[in-house]
Amino acid sequence: MKFPKGVEVVGSAIIENNKGEILLVRSPKWSNKWTMPGGHIEPDETISKALEREAEEETGLKLKPIKIIAFGELINSKDFHRPAHFIYFDLLCKAKTENVKIDNKEVKDFKWVKPENALKMDLAESYDKTIKDYIEYKK
């Protein structure tokens, strides 16, 4: 299989609010399944800065980065819109603002949910692992 962009370094922001909920977004790039805001880490960015930027672009939220709590590799996901080989880092962030304004391009819908309830939703491939890692981290 050919991967047009080679190995891509990406990540997601696990955004939590003060109510113990996390933010999930529905993404057309991921078969309209639930994911977390995120995207590519550019060559001149730290993981933290890249995910703050990507999440703010997609949700309008200001974030406080906490810690990378999940990482992994996803090769040719059944849910992603094109062939891709991802190395990913998922960064826990605290929402410093509350008013979500989705960009309607990368993200079409959003929902704040309890992490345990998120596991029952139609998640894109690998996001269940991220949420389980988050739940374990919070124990």
Side-chain angles (χ1 to χ4, degrees):
M1 163 131 330
K2 297 260 185 198
F3 296 104
K5 295 187 177 187
V7 175
E8 301 172 66
V9 181
V10 298
S12 294
I14 307 162
I15 302 171
E16 63 181 13
N17 64 18
N18 292 327
K19 300 174 192 166
E21 298 167 323
I22 58 173
L23 183 68
L24 294 183
V25 296
R26 194 182 298 269
S27 172
K29 287 184 176 181
W30 290 90
S31 303
N32 283 315
K33 294 188 176 190
W34 292 99
T35 67
M36 294 169 181
H40 287 85
I41 298 165
E42 300 299 333
D44 64 340
E45 289 181 306
T46 63
I47 294 168
S48 176
K49 286 296 178 200
L51 296 178
E52 277 183 88
R53 174 186 55 76
E54 287 282 358
E56 184 176 344
E57 286 172 4
E58 294 175 9
T59 69
L61 293 173
K62 299 285 186 197
L63 304 175
K64 177 185 176 194
I66 307 293
K67 178 182 173 122
I68 294 170
I69 61 169
F71 58 89
E73 183 173 36
L74 184 59
I75 300 173
N76 206 25
S77 169
K78 62 184 173 38
D79 296 324
F80 198 62
H81 70 103
R82 64 171 167 78
H85 180 165
F86 293 131
I87 303 295
Y88 66 86
F89 299 89
D90 296 330
L91 178 72
L92 174 59
C93 299
K94 193 78 167 165
K96 296 194 296 188
T97 55
E98 295 181 10
N99 192 11
V100 177
K101 295 178 189 161
I102 57 173
D103 71 354
N104 277 313
K105 188 174 102 183
E106 302 274 337
V107 172
K108 296 295 184 186
D109 195 9
F110 74 94
K111 185 179 282 194
W112 290 101
V113 295
K114 294 283 185 193
E116 299 77 17
N117 294 337
L119 290 172
K120 300 172 192 165
M121 296 172 67
D122 189 19
L123 299 169
E125 186 176 1
S126 84
Y127 283 90
D128 59 332
K129 176 196 177 302
T130 295
I131 294 168
K132 287 173 185 172
D133 287 350
Y134 169 79
I135 291 168
E136 188 62 31
Y137 171 78
K138 295 301 279 189
K139 285 184 180 177

